Amino acid sequence: MIDHRLTVLRTFAACGSVTAAAEALDYSPSAVSAQLRGLQADLGLRLVDKDGRGLRLTSAGRRLVEESDGLFTHWEGVRAALAADGGAEAEQLRLGGMSTATAALLAPVAVRLRAEAPGLGISIVEADPQRCFDLLLADRLDLAIVVSMQASAGAGDPRYERIALLDDPLDIMLPADHRLAGRESISLEEVGEEPWIAARPGTPYRALFIAAFTAAGTTPRVAHEVAEWDTEATLIEKGLGIGLVPRLARISSDYRVVRVPVAGPAAPHRRVVAAIRRGARERPLIARTVDALREQARDGLGYR
C-alpha cells in the first residue's frame, strides 16, 4: 500500500492550495496541513514552505511529486493484476462526469452493473472535467467521463489514461415553427446569418462553436450567450435565435424546439472519453464499466 499522505501531497500539488486540496480529498484544510507536516517529518525533508497565507511546494516537494507518478502507475497495475488473478475487487465503484454524460451514460450503466453484481456499491458525482481529474488524483473517483476538448487537465498527462467512448455530434436546435425545422439536415452556411445563441467566450463550447463556423467558411452572429442547455432551449423556443446542442444532451419535450443534424463532412462533434488513473485499465471492474459504457452508447443511444 502507498502511504496516503503521498496522495495528499500530489493532490495539493495539482490543486494549488490547501483549501482546494481539502475539497478534492473531502478533508478539512487543517487535516491536509497535518498530513503534509507528518509526511515531511517522517521523510526528514521540507516538502512545503509558507507562501503568504498559504503553502507552496519546495524543490524537494516538486521532485517527490514528479517521481511518484511511476510509483502510482505501478501500484494501479499491481491492483489490476491481483484482481484479474482472482483477488478481491473493490466493493465500491466511484464514477464521475459532466451533466450530459451523467444522465445519458452513467445512470443507466450504474443500473446495469448493479443488476449484474447486486453487492456492488456505486456512487456518481456530477462534476466539470477539471474537478473530475482532481478527484481521480485524490482517489475519490475510479472513472470519469469528460469531453476531450474540455480535458486539458488530462491531455498528455502521464497520470491519466483516456479511453474513447463515442463522437457526439452537435445538432442545430431551432424553434418548432422555423422555416427549416422540417429539414433532414442543414448546412451551417444556410443559417450563418441567423441570430445565434452560444456559450460564453473563453469556454470550450464557444471554441467548438467558432471552429465549426471557421471550417464552414462563415462567421456567425452571436446574439445571446448562455451557460445551460435548458436556457438555450428556452431562448430558441421564444424565437430569439438558434443554437448548436450536443446530441447527448437531453432537452425536455416540453420545449417547442426541434433538433436537425448538421450537413456536410465537417459537421461539428465532441469526443467523449473515459478517464482513469494510468495502470487501472486492466482491473476487471474498470474494464467491465468501459464495456458497459460503450454498450450503452451503442444500444441505448444509437452511437456506432
Side-chain angles (χ1 to χ4, degrees), residues 30-50:
S30 60
V32 170
S33 297
Q35 295 270 319
L36 295 176
R37 288 195 303 269
L39 180 61
Q40 65 181 8
D42 285 353
L43 292 176
L45 295 170
R46 180 166 289 280
L47 303 175
V48 294
D49 274 333
K50 287 279 190 180

Side-chain angles (χ1 to χ4, degrees), residues 136-214:
L136 280 169
L137 188 65
D139 196 19
R140 288 185 59 206
L141 288 182
D142 300 303
L143 179 148
I145 297 181
V146 298
V147 173
S148 185
M149 62 181 231
Q150 293 178 306
S152 57
D157 193 318
R159 298 172 296 184
Y160 311 108
E161 181 177 0
R162 296 185 295 167
I163 304 167
L165 295 177
L166 59 95
D167 284 335
D168 187 27
L170 271 65
D171 297 324
I172 298 175
M173 187 156 59
L174 308 159
D177 58 358
H178 191 279
R179 60 186 175 83
L180 299 176
R183 292 275 295 275
E184 292 186 359
S185 64
I186 303 170
S187 69
L188 292 179
E189 295 90 337
E190 292 180 90
V191 287
E193 297 301 316
E194 297 264 357
W196 281 87
I197 301 163
R200 298 186 302 269
T203 62
Y205 284 109
R206 183 61 171 263
L208 181 58
F209 177 85
I210 295 300
F213 281 92
T214 299

